[in-house]
């Protein structure tokens, strides 16, 4: 499948420009998807692969990396095996099938002790919205799945048919920011008491308000994939992995994830609590480079999804 039909990355140039890529660096794309960001990173790296720079590791008989020579410069994560169809034929590139919350484990496995940059394009690829059987969109009638990783875990249907009314209301309120979450949860329970809710079509009948329905689908998707929990874990690991001068670039698409990223890059912690020195300067491990850049109208016209994208970039001090 062509990259442009799988996913079109938003704010591509300013995102990769902001990473300040240099030859010999080691980079991580934790949301590979269609591979747009990864390809652009590789285009800007030297063609000879990673040069000798500190300890290297090689794979032993048990499959674990040990000291030796390693030429990988870019590690691209995606927990959805569908993304592998966009694989890159480049000796400098390594595909990692896994959730980015396990960034530390995989980097340790590949023998990477520090990185020079990380990109995270949060949200959902066009591919997921366009595949009816994945259940991410109410544009089609299909099974209520919504799992990014289809190898296991609960589906959206599991949540809708097993969570009690209060728990459903909490999911809709916290992750969909729906003020009428209690009323919607009550209606969902009434619906499932008549018939199990298993398709996107059934869920779409919950309300005639498309904006409201979009928030319902968003809430369920976040709950199914524990998106905010995974984001928090990844950010903490990225802070430790980045070398001084290394950069992290994150694209967010809704206020919940953006608030987490903004507070973390400003303070260096998940609580967003800042400490100041004697002179009133905030003590933080990051220098913020981009504070929430958005796409211009020309890009939004070419790529409507870019309208909700917000880019934040910080450099490790």
């Amino acid at each position: 499948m062509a990259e442009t039909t799988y996913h079109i990355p938003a704010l591509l140039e300013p995102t990769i420009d902001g990473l300040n890529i240099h030859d010999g660096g080691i980079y991580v794309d934790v949301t590979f998807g269609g591979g747009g960001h990864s390809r652009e990173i590789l285009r800007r790296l030297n063609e000879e692969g990673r040069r000798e720079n500190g300890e290297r590791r090689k794979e032993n008989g048990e499959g674990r990396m040990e000291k030796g020579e390693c030429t990988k410069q870019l590690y691209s994560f995606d927990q959805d095996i569908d993304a592998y169809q966009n694989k890159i034929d480049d000796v400098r590139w390594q595909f990692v099938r896994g959730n980015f919350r396990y960034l530390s484990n995989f980097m340790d496995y590949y023998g990477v002790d520090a990185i020079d940059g990380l990109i995270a394009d949060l949200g959902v690829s066009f591919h997921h919205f366009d595949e009816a059987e994945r259940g991410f969109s109410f544009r089609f009638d299909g099974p209520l799945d919504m799992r990014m990783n289809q190898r296991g875990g609960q589906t959206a249907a599991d949540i809708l048919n097993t969570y009690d009314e209060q728990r459903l209301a909490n999911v809709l309120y916290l992750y969909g920011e729906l003020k009428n979450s209690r009323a919607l949860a009550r209606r969902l329970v009434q619906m499932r008491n008549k018939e199990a809710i298993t398709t996107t079509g059934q869920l779409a009948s919950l309300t005639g308000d498309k904006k409201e329905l979009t928030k319902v689908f968003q809430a369920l998707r976040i709950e199914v994939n524990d998106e905010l929990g995974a984001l928090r874990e990844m950010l903490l690991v990225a802070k430790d992995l980045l070398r001084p001068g290394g950069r992290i670039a994150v694209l967010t698409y809704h206020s919940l994830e953006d608030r987490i990223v903004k507070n973390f890059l400003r303070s260096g912690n998940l609580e967003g609590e800042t400490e100041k020195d004697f002179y009133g300067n905030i003590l933080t491990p990051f220098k913020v480079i981009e504070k929430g850049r958005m796409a211009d109208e020309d890009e939004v016209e070419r790529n409507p999804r870019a309208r909700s994208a917000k880019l934040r970039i910080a450099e490790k001090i």
Side-chain angles (χ1 to χ4, degrees):
M1 181 179 294
E3 177 195 334
T4 52
T5 60
Y6 193 101
H7 183 65
I8 304 172
L11 292 159
L12 178 62
E13 290 296 322
T15 300
I16 305 304
D17 286 346
L19 284 179
N20 194 30
I21 293 169
H22 59 85
D23 286 354
I26 306 169
Y27 297 88
V28 177
D29 178 355
V30 297
T31 48
F32 179 64
H37 289 110
S38 286
R39 286 183 172 83
E40 185 61 21
I41 290 172
L42 288 169
R43 191 181 70 80
R44 302 189 188 198
L45 288 168
N46 69 76
E47 297 181 357
E48 298 176 359
R50 178 174 152 195
R51 297 192 177 106
E52 191 66 26
N53 182 20
E55 289 189 345
R56 299 291 181 264
R57 300 187 181 185
K58 61 183 178 181
E59 191 170 318
N60 62 22
E62 299 177 351
R64 187 170 179 79
M65 306 304 282
E66 293 184 341
K67 293 179 182 179
E69 181 66 23
C70 178
T71 59
K72 305 301 181 186
Q73 285 187 269
L74 175 62
Y75 297 83
S76 299
F77 283 66
D78 206 299
Q79 59 184 321
D80 188 349
I81 192 58
D82 285 358
Y84 188 65
Q85 66 185 295
N86 304 309
K87 61 183 178 293
I88 304 171
D89 184 16
D90 193 307
V91 296
R92 301 166 298 171
W93 180 74
Q94 176 66 54
F95 181 76
V96 182
R97 186 184 179 188
N99 190 309
F100 59 52
R101 75 190 316 155
Y102 303 118
L103 174 63
S104 178
N105 304 67
F106 281 107
M107 291 297 93
D108 181 62
Y109 174 82
Y110 287 108
V112 178
D113 301 315
I115 62 175
D116 297 281
L118 180 146
I119 163 70
D121 184 1
L122 306 177
V124 185
S125 294
F126 294 171
H127 167 72
H128 295 118
F129 283 128
D130 291 340
E131 294 289 322
E133 63 270 18
R134 300 301 295 269
F136 285 97
S137 173
F138 52 83
R139 291 186 294 125
F140 315 101
D141 190 17
L144 272 168
D145 193 321
M146 298 195 193
R147 292 173 299 169
M148 294 290 188
N149 180 357
Q150 293 188 298
R151 290 184 291 185
Q154 64 183 356
T155 66
D158 293 331
I159 290 170
L160 288 169
N161 292 291
T162 62
Y163 281 21
D164 61 35
E165 185 176 317
Q166 182 59 56
R167 194 174 180 188
L168 279 174
N170 289 342
V171 168
L172 296 174
Y173 180 76
L174 293 174
Y175 301 148
E177 299 182 289
L178 287 153
K179 294 180 180 180
N180 60 337
S181 59
R182 293 180 183 276
L184 289 173
R186 190 177 308 116
R187 288 168 60 187
L188 285 168
V189 171
Q190 292 171 349
M191 287 173 61
R192 78 186 189 194
N193 285 341
K194 296 178 181 178
E195 182 182 19
I197 306 172
T198 60
T199 70
T200 56
Q202 287 174 283
L203 182 57
S205 69
L206 176 69
T207 174
D209 187 329
K210 287 188 177 181
K211 186 175 181 180
E212 188 173 67
L213 195 57
T214 297
K215 291 182 177 182
V216 171
F217 271 71
Q218 172 185 294
L220 288 170
R221 190 197 77 225
I222 291 174
E223 175 72 2
V224 166
N225 298 288
D226 189 23
E227 292 180 17
L228 302 186
L231 174 60
R232 293 185 181 98
E233 291 180 32
M234 182 274 290
L235 289 172
L236 287 172
V237 173
K239 180 180 70 171
D240 293 335
L241 274 175
L242 280 170
R243 305 181 198 273
R247 293 188 177 185
I248 177 172
V250 185
L251 284 156
T252 65
Y253 294 87
H254 57 75
S255 61
L256 297 173
E257 59 192 14
D258 186 61
R259 191 177 304 123
I260 292 172
V261 174
K262 177 183 177 180
N263 289 338
F264 184 79
L265 297 184
R266 180 174 62 91
S267 66
N269 60 71
L270 294 173
E271 295 74 27
E273 298 176 354
T274 57
E275 296 182 15
K276 296 183 179 180
D277 63 17
F278 178 79
Y279 300 100
N281 299 310
I282 295 177
L283 297 172
T284 172
F286 295 114
K287 174 186 176 182
V288 176
I289 307 297
E290 283 282 2
K291 297 183 178 181
R293 179 168 178 168
M294 302 184 74
D296 59 31
E297 288 304 315
D298 287 341
E299 178 172 0
V300 171
E301 186 174 349
R302 297 192 306 270
N303 179 10
R305 181 176 181 264
R307 183 179 298 279
S308 58
K310 188 174 291 186
L311 172 63
R312 297 187 184 277
I313 301 175
E315 182 175 288
K316 179 78 171 289
I317 298 174

